[in-house]
Amino acid sequence: MKQLAVNTVFALGSTKLLPASYNAVPEDRQGAFPVVVFSHGAASMRNTYSILCSEFASRGFVVAAVEHADGTACCVQLATGEWKLLQGLGSGAAQEAKCEYRVQECITLAKTLQAMNAGADISSLELSGSAPPSSAFRNMLDMQRLAIMGHSCGGATVAAAVAASDGAAEQAPQEPLLTHFF
């Protein structure tokens, strides 16, 4: 009985509503939205940072948070439907391989957003809303104002992603250039 009371008080006292709407239609505005790609820390997941990502979204950014599948997330559901649990960072070559995997996930996400902005048909992508990926963000993203940010291990991922981009995208406008990090 005591545990029930504790759980009830905790639930009632910790309930906060975010001023957000699920699958809301983007506001009618002039210009495209700046984009933030977010990389979570080790032993964490994208949902852990929902308050931070929601704050950026409330300021007019489109925020795409990666759920890293390299074993550094506390848990992740893979595209196959299988669940993968925390396997730790590792050390040496294993840690470097995980960092590279995380970097590629962030770069792939940025390229996917770029393709969605261009209206590309991405048949393997399923969104939670009713709009198909080819029209969900068409001409709505300002990929010239792309930032990548992360916390802890995600911050290291950001630094490595920016270093990996090495300005090559400047010669290829179709490629997003990762130049900003927090």
Side-chain angles (χ1 to χ4, degrees), residues 2-15:
K2 181 181 176 186
Q3 189 60 48
L4 176 62
V6 169
N7 290 347
T8 302
V9 169
F10 177 77
L12 293 174
S14 66
T15 302

Side-chain angles (χ1 to χ4, degrees), residues 4 46 65 171 174:
L4 176 62
R46 62 186 166 85
Q171 288 80 38
Q174 73 276 9

Side-chain angles (χ1 to χ4, degrees), residues 19-128:
S21 298
Y22 185 70
N23 289 325
V25 176
E27 68 181 35
D28 187 23
R29 63 182 267 162
Q30 299 291 330
F33 295 95
V35 178
V36 172
V37 170
F38 185 83
S39 174
H40 64 74
S44 191
M45 61 196 301
R46 62 186 166 85
N47 293 349
T48 307
Y49 300 92
S50 60
I51 195 71
L52 178 64
C53 293
S54 295
E55 179 63 23
F56 276 95
S58 75
R59 306 292 178 160
F61 292 84
V62 169
V63 182
V66 179
E67 190 86 90
H68 292 292
D70 64 339
T72 60
C74 58
C75 63
V76 61
Q77 187 173 18
L78 304 175
T80 61
E82 174 189 354
W83 284 91
K84 187 173 190 177
L85 301 179
L86 177 65
Q87 298 170 350
L89 284 173
S91 61
Q95 187 176 29
E96 289 177 21
K98 287 186 178 191
C99 185
E100 179 57 30
Y101 189 92
R102 291 170 64 99
V103 165
Q104 289 309 312
E105 286 177 316
C106 290
I107 291 172
T108 298
L109 177 54
K111 289 180 178 181
T112 300
L113 291 169
Q114 180 81 15
M116 291 172 70
N117 190 53
D121 181 28
I122 306 171
S123 59
S124 62
L125 183 63
E126 184 179 323
L127 300 179
S128 59

